[in-house]
Amino acid sequence: GECFERNAEGMLKNMAIHELALLVSFYDVTVDNIAEVIADKEFSSLQTLKGPSGEDFTDFDKIKFTIKTKTGKEVSVSADRCGGTDSYAWVADKSGEEVFRYYMPDEE
């Protein structure tokens, strides 16, 4: 509950905002061209936890979704509060085969 209270702005704004900015910058995702958003309900987990203040906070501890654009692009974002300190992005071709993976922080 402490994490939910400390980051009360929510997981999307606190953690996934960087990925969303990348979608806008590199994958042509805009409010006007989103055709569909598909939630991955098996991966995603919504919790209500009591924070140190005694108040309840509801947020995702894991979330994953795919955005399809009107221009034919498809991109997925996933975030996990308990997934460790590393972050990565991977790119797949149309068949789902991984063609590139980038880790942050990198080895440098």
Side-chain angles (χ1 to χ4, degrees):
E2 183 277 331
C3 182
F4 279 26
E5 185 168 347
R6 180 170 34 90
N7 301 294
E9 67 276 17
M11 186 177 199
L12 283 176
K13 190 173 181 183
N14 179 264
M15 288 184 69
I17 193 71
H18 309 96
E19 289 77 9
L20 294 172
L22 290 172
L23 301 186
V24 170
S25 298
F26 298 108
Y27 293 95
D28 191 34
V29 173
T30 68
V31 171
D32 294 332
N33 78 357
I34 293 175
E36 185 178 11
V37 178
I38 304 159
D40 183 331
K41 294 178 182 179
E42 292 213 12
F43 180 89
S44 301
S45 172
L46 184 68
Q47 304 270 339
T48 299
L49 302 173
K50 194 168 294 301
S53 67
E55 292 183 47
D56 287 341
F57 292 85
T58 301
D59 196 4
F60 292 94
D61 60 323
K62 296 191 315 182
I63 192 168
K64 184 176 181 181
F65 55 90
T66 299
I67 295 175
K68 293 183 178 183
T69 68
K70 294 173 185 172
T71 59
K73 294 187 178 171
E74 184 175 321
V75 62
S76 297
V77 171
S78 64
D80 183 345
R81 286 191 190 271
C82 302
T85 58
D86 292 341
S87 178
Y88 70 90
W90 64 275
V91 177
D93 61 19
K94 289 193 184 258
S95 71
E97 288 291 316
E98 184 177 320
V99 295
F100 177 76
R101 183 177 291 237
Y102 176 78
Y103 284 93
M104 186 68 180
D106 59 16
E107 293 181 11
E108 294 177 15

